[in-house]
Amino acid sequence: QLRPTAIAAWAEAESSLTSDPVPVGVPLSVRPQPLFGISVSALLRRQRKLVLRVSLKPIEWALTVLLAATFGMLFWQVGAHRREVQRQQDYISVIFFFVAQWSWAPLFQVLGSFPAEREVLTRERASDSYSVQSWYVSKLMAEWPLSWLMPAAFFVVLYPLAALPAAQAPLVFSIILLNVEVSTSLGGLLGAMLFDREKATVVAIVYMVYVMCAGGFFVNLNNLPPWLGWVRFTSFWYYSMGLVVAAALPTAADRDAFTMPINGSGTSCGAAGSSTLDNYSFSKSAWDGHWELEVSVLAALAVTQRLLTLVVLRTSKALQFS
């Protein structure tokens, strides 16, 4: 009785060995992934430790504080004299450095985060431990609560040294945090697209130089032909600078001082001529009371770049075994 059973078992095993092999890349057994919330919660603890170890290193704190102190000495109490014609360009300059610092620093801080985690992410994705969405959401949740710490330290040092309007500090800080989010999402998108720190750095530098020059501070794009001057609308600095300038000039006296025509001797005059703000081509919508335009553009840009990053991560061949 055992012999027919053994023969049947052997025949079944032999037929399974001679059947078509399982295609490469298809798991022999598919186990269900943990629930989305469970995966995010588990990954969040690891991501938080990573952010604390990489992004908030003592050397980063030292760099932030020293840069703020340097700018503070060079622009000492410029805000207290912002209505004086001789100091108005300096006042716009210190605003520029607020935007510049919190565009470049967040960008390069996250630029290499995806390439650095590529090996671990690829291995764990191959084992189907969790979804890309879970990993990405946990990463964002770990970064967002800590993204304001460095800018806050920068503000605490530079804001009083430059004597910017104290009452406007919360508004200016909120605008800078929105700018940080745009820069961070841009850095994440470039890192996800290239998965190579060196290549991403080259692309980021070229793009940020364009954004900086097209933002309306270095080059007055109003003086260019219309077919070329429109490029300012593609720079997020165009909107960020407009917001911060409008916030940092809160009173009617401030606005009159910066829109008053200036004569050849560098003093205000009542005749028609160029004012201090006429030398720049950043957005004037917030200046006219329409804050929602700049805020909407920056928020939409940040959200779009975050969503594109997720799409790139889900379709990237860099996260697949070759």
Side-chain angles (χ1 to χ4, degrees):
Q1 296 178 352
L2 294 176
R3 185 175 179 182
T5 304
I7 293 175
W10 179 263
E12 182 180 355
E14 185 177 16
S15 64
S16 65
L17 290 174
T18 58
S19 61
D20 294 335
V22 177
V24 176
V26 177
L28 296 177
S29 62
V30 180
R31 60 180 181 181
Q33 292 180 344
L35 295 176
F36 178 80
I38 296 176
S39 299
V40 171
S41 178
L43 291 167
L44 181 59
R45 292 190 291 270
R46 186 175 73 182
Q47 288 292 342
R48 188 179 292 115
K49 293 179 181 178
L50 182 64
V51 172
L52 290 172
R53 185 175 70 250
V54 175
S55 301
L56 300 178
K57 295 182 292 187
I59 189 66
E60 298 292 340
W61 286 105
L63 176 61
T64 298
V65 172
L66 289 174
L67 282 176
T70 300
F71 294 144
M73 289 186 292
L74 295 176
F75 293 101
W76 176 259
Q77 299 295 294
V78 66
H81 307 279
R82 61 183 179 273
R83 296 173 192 168
E84 300 174 9
V85 174
Q86 295 82 359
R87 301 304 306 273
Q88 288 178 1
Q89 289 188 348
D90 293 340
Y91 190 66
I92 300 296
S93 296
V94 76
I95 292 173
F96 165 81
F97 281 109
F98 272 98
V99 176
Q101 171 64 19
W102 298 111
S103 295
W104 287 90
L107 173 70
F108 283 95
Q109 198 169 55
V110 303
L111 199 61
S113 62
F114 289 144
E117 297 182 61
R118 175 181 176 180
E119 182 178 348
V120 174
L121 182 58
T122 302
R123 183 174 63 249
E124 294 180 349
R125 284 289 299 123
S127 64
D128 214 29
S129 300
Y130 49 79
S131 65
V132 171
Q133 297 95 306
S134 301
W135 176 81
Y136 187 56
V137 170
S138 69
K139 187 175 183 64
L140 295 183
M141 291 178 64
E143 292 175 349
W144 276 336
L146 303 174
S147 62
W148 62 273
L149 293 177
M150 290 288 185
F154 189 84
F155 262 70
V156 167
V157 176
L158 177 55
Y159 209 89
L161 292 180
L164 271 69
Q168 297 300 103
L171 179 58
V172 173
F173 185 66
S174 299
I175 297 169
I176 293 299
L177 288 185
L178 180 57
N179 190 79
V180 167
E181 178 59 24
V182 175
S183 298
T184 304
S185 61
L186 173 62
L189 178 59
L190 293 177
M193 290 174 62
L194 299 172
F195 265 100
D196 184 291
R197 179 62 186 259
E198 293 184 359
K199 294 180 180 178
T201 299
V202 171
V203 174
I205 291 175
V206 173
Y207 180 73
M208 286 299 292
V209 168
Y210 161 76
V211 166
M212 182 172 62
C213 292
F217 178 80
F218 288 112
V219 182
N220 189 345
L221 299 183
N222 291 323
N223 298 328
L224 296 179
W227 61 270
L228 187 57
W230 65 268
V231 298
R232 63 185 182 274
F233 301 115
T234 64
S235 168
F236 69 87
W237 279 29
Y238 171 80
Y239 306 98
S240 296
M241 284 292 298
L243 282 172
V244 180
V245 168
L249 296 172
T251 67
D254 291 329
R255 293 168 179 264
D256 290 341
F258 277 78
T259 55
M260 179 71 69
I262 302 172
N263 59 29
S265 62
T267 59
S268 299
C269 64
S274 297
S275 66
T276 298
L277 285 184
D278 288 335
N279 296 319
Y280 307 99
S281 58
F282 36 74
S283 177
K284 303 298 192 300
S285 295
W287 183 267
D288 296 331
H290 300 289
W291 294 72
E292 67 278 1
L293 175 62
E294 283 94 343
V295 173
S296 298
V297 170
L298 292 175
L301 186 58
V303 171
T304 300
Q305 290 175 163
R306 291 295 191 188
L307 293 176
L308 287 175
T309 302
L310 178 58
V311 172
V312 171
L313 288 172
R314 292 190 62 183
T315 58
S316 176
K317 293 184 179 179
L319 297 180
Q320 301 174 5
F321 281 116
S322 58

